[in-house]
Amino acid sequence: MQINIKRVYDPPKVSDGYRILIDRLWPRGTKKEALKYDIWEKNIAPSPALRRWFHENPQEHWEGFVSLYSKELENSASVKDFVERIKSHDRITLLYASKDATHNHASVLRQFLQNHLHWLPHKLPAPLLKRTMENEVVTCRSYIKGVCFRYSFP
């Protein structure tokens, strides 16, 4: 699965795939009819208290925010349901309103999803699946928590 992040104010593209608004609050200055999105997942956004704390001083609080938001995601039933719903999509785009393209909750959520979505070998073609299961033909280039995420085939 390809996971992209994009500001809600950027124009939509067909290549965005399944578009998910991930802010708890509706983006300022945007009409609901004008925003092209497939689903609004406000329950996976940072808690209001965490969001307020982070916005007091984003540069100084960034590392703490990443840690605390990751813990919120780990303990959230909404996130577990969300992960199950998006597994069937080949490409998703997480939409956020923040002006900062690198220090925002979308980048933390994308990393979290990349760490928790498992590579499903049953999506491989049958002959390759059989070779993979029997002979470990797939070469893994990146393991995260024991799961192969970046792989190549001979």
Side-chain angles (χ1 to χ4, degrees):
M1 172 187 297
Q2 182 180 352
I3 304 171
N4 301 311
I5 59 174
K6 188 175 194 177
R7 288 194 74 213
V8 296
Y9 307 106
D10 295 338
K13 295 181 181 175
V14 174
S15 62
D16 289 345
Y18 193 66
R19 294 170 50 91
I20 306 159
L21 177 60
I22 58 166
D23 286 346
R24 187 172 298 275
L25 305 174
W26 189 259
R28 190 174 289 165
T30 304
K31 294 183 180 181
K32 290 191 179 181
E33 309 81 44
L35 183 61
K36 303 294 184 216
Y37 68 102
D38 295 298
I39 191 166
W40 184 11
E41 289 286 343
K42 55 184 150 190
N43 292 331
I44 63 173
S47 64
L50 179 58
R51 185 179 57 79
R52 280 191 299 274
W53 174 77
F54 173 61
H55 286 289
E56 287 173 4
N57 190 339
Q59 297 301 323
E60 187 177 308
H61 293 167
W62 174 245
E63 288 183 21
F65 174 77
V66 170
S67 176
L68 293 169
Y69 182 41
S70 296
K71 287 177 185 168
E72 284 186 358
L73 293 169
E74 286 281 349
N75 298 319
S76 170
S78 297
V79 171
K80 290 176 180 77
D81 294 340
F82 172 68
V83 167
E84 288 302 313
R85 280 196 303 278
I86 65 169
K87 276 186 177 180
S88 63
H89 297 281
D90 292 331
R91 182 179 305 136
I92 65 168
T93 298
L94 305 174
L95 303 171
Y96 66 94
S98 174
K99 291 178 185 174
D100 189 335
T102 54
H103 299 98
N104 61 60
H105 72 290
S107 62
V108 178
L109 179 58
R110 176 174 56 183
Q111 186 62 49
F112 177 87
L113 293 172
Q114 288 171 338
N115 292 347
H116 288 80
L117 287 171
H118 299 293
W119 173 61
L120 303 174
H122 67 271
K123 290 189 174 185
L124 293 173
L128 186 53
L129 172 61
K130 184 176 181 198
R131 287 183 21 214
T132 300
M133 301 295 259
E134 291 175 358
N135 304 324
E136 297 184 80
V137 172
V138 174
T139 302
C140 245
R141 291 181 283 153
S142 176
Y143 282 96
I144 300 173
K145 295 186 179 181
V147 178
C148 177
F149 279 91
R150 290 182 182 87
Y151 40 88
S152 59
F153 303 99

